[in-house]
Structures are given as C-alpha cells and as structure tokens.
C-alpha cells in the first residue's frame, strides 16, 4: 500500500514539475511599440537647460524650462 501512495505522489510531483517547466519555456509575446520620434529641444532663457519644445513654457517668444523660471526671467 505504501508503494502505491509513493508512486501516486511521484506521478503528481512529476506532472506539476513538467507543467511548470513547459510554461517557463514558452516564448513570451512582447508587444512591440513603435519608436518615438525625436523632439525639437529648446534652451531655457533663464538657466540654459534644454527641454523638449512640447514641455517648454513660452513667454514673449522665449522658452523656459518651468513656470518658476518664466516668472523670474520676466522680472
């Protein structure tokens, strides 16, 4: 009787091990995102740091890296 129980435990353990191994070996499908396009960079008129044009804060034709620098540069 104990040999039958041992055999059942071994078969179940082998099945679990094989199931986990096949899941790990399966190639993962990764979603390919298109590369982002480069953005135009502008220099902050106050500190000179370059920021993307889309993120720049504009005032009177000058680009600033933040609203704080815009306020300081305008004074």
């Amino acid at each position: 009787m104990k040999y039958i129980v041992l055999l059942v435990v071994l078969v179940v353990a082998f099945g679990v091990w094989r199931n986990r191994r096949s899941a790990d070996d399966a190639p993962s499908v990764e979603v390919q995102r298109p590369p982002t396009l480069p953005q135009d960079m502008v220099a902050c008129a106050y500190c000179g740091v370059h920021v993307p044009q889309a993120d720049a804060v504009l005032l009177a034709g000058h680009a600033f890296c933040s609203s704080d620098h815009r306020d300081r540069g305008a004074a």
Side-chain angles (χ1 to χ4, degrees):
M1 181 69 179
K2 67 180 178 179
Y3 293 115
I4 294 174
V5 172
L6 180 64
L7 180 64
V8 168
V9 168
L10 288 175
V11 167
V12 169
F14 179 74
V16 169
W17 173 75
R18 186 172 176 159
N19 189 22
R20 285 189 179 175
R21 194 180 99 183
S22 66
D24 291 341
D25 291 344
S28 61
V29 177
E30 296 182 19
V31 176
Q32 295 289 335
R33 291 184 288 171
T36 58
L37 297 175
Q39 298 181 17
D40 291 331
M41 303 292 281
V42 293
C44 176
Y46 184 77
C47 66
V49 171
H50 287 82
V51 294
Q53 189 174 11
D55 296 338
V57 180
L58 300 175
L59 176 68
H62 296 286
F64 297 92
C65 62
S66 66
S67 59
D68 184 43
H69 281 190
R70 177 196 61 205
D71 297 340
R72 289 181 185 186

